[in-house]
Amino acid sequence: NRQDALYEHIELRELCSEIIEGLQYVEPDKARCKVIFHLRVTSIWQDRSRLKIILNNLVSNAFRFQPLHEEHQPQVTISSHQDERTVAIEIADNGEGIPPEVQLKMFDMFYRGNARSQGSGLGLYIARSAATNMHGTIICQSEYGKGATFILTLPLVAVG
């Protein structure tokens, strides 16, 4: 069944670096984007393919929605932490930010936030669906003009 999770050990920095490397080809003008890792949780036991779908979407959006003017120093911070039951992975950027009216609809199927959005409007919808299938959540915190932070929270998976 394609809905069944396939759990495996995942090194978060390695997975994110793989995603970022792939983005250098898709978004070559964003290659100057500085990526900072603050990983308190360095590895997790989770469904790698679903996690990669989610993180690829969130990280590529963080790269894509950076202002292009020369004075702007694009930056994406990827951090992680956990409590007794969950692990949270945060993707924060210093890009355009997301207007409140867009935040209300951005996880809807086929919703595109602005005229410059090149995608199908399915990325965040698919990311949230994958998180839900993993019994997790994705939320966004953003102030328009000051960047956005997406927080993926997943249950800790016991090994064995």
Side-chain angles (χ1 to χ4, degrees):
N1 179 333
R2 64 175 208 173
Q3 295 295 324
D4 291 341
L6 181 63
Y7 293 111
E8 58 186 287
H9 181 260
I10 302 164
E11 291 292 333
L12 287 177
R13 181 184 288 263
E14 188 179 293
L15 178 61
C16 291
S17 294
E18 185 182 310
I19 289 166
I20 291 161
E21 193 173 308
L23 290 174
Q24 303 294 329
Y25 300 105
V26 180
E27 302 281 339
D29 56 327
K30 303 294 169 43
R32 64 189 182 94
C33 189
K34 181 178 181 183
V35 179
I36 299 169
F37 288 97
H38 289 294
L39 301 176
R40 284 195 218 129
V41 178
T42 57
S43 64
I44 60 173
W45 189 258
Q46 198 43 269
D47 184 320
R48 182 183 174 87
S49 63
R50 284 186 175 134
L51 184 60
K52 186 172 182 178
I53 287 167
I54 296 166
L55 293 179
N56 188 61
N57 182 273
L58 299 180
V59 173
S60 69
N61 283 350
F63 271 60
R64 189 175 298 130
F65 293 104
Q66 290 282 348
L68 286 175
H69 56 81
E70 279 302 313
E71 307 81 57
H72 180 70
Q73 294 295 313
Q75 183 172 301
V76 174
T77 303
I78 302 171
S79 56
S80 63
H81 57 274
Q82 73 181 53
D83 60 24
E84 309 81 49
R85 295 192 307 269
T86 62
V87 60
I89 302 169
E90 297 185 14
I91 314 308
D93 67 64
N94 66 340
E96 303 172 358
I98 304 165
E101 64 275 10
V102 172
Q103 290 182 47
L104 295 172
K105 303 176 209 163
M106 66 187 181
F107 290 102
D108 294 353
M109 189 183 291
F110 302 122
Y111 183 76
R112 292 171 51 193
N114 65 40
R116 284 195 1 243
S117 296
Q118 296 175 1
S120 61
L122 289 173
L124 287 174
Y125 173 79
I126 290 169
R128 180 169 270 177
S129 296
T132 300
N133 285 334
M134 297 164 78
H135 306 287
T137 60
I138 298 177
I139 62 166
C140 174
Q141 300 169 340
S142 180
E143 186 177 339
Y144 188 54
K146 295 192 176 180
T149 301
F150 284 82
I151 304 164
L152 168 65
T153 304
L154 298 168
L156 288 173
V157 178
V159 180

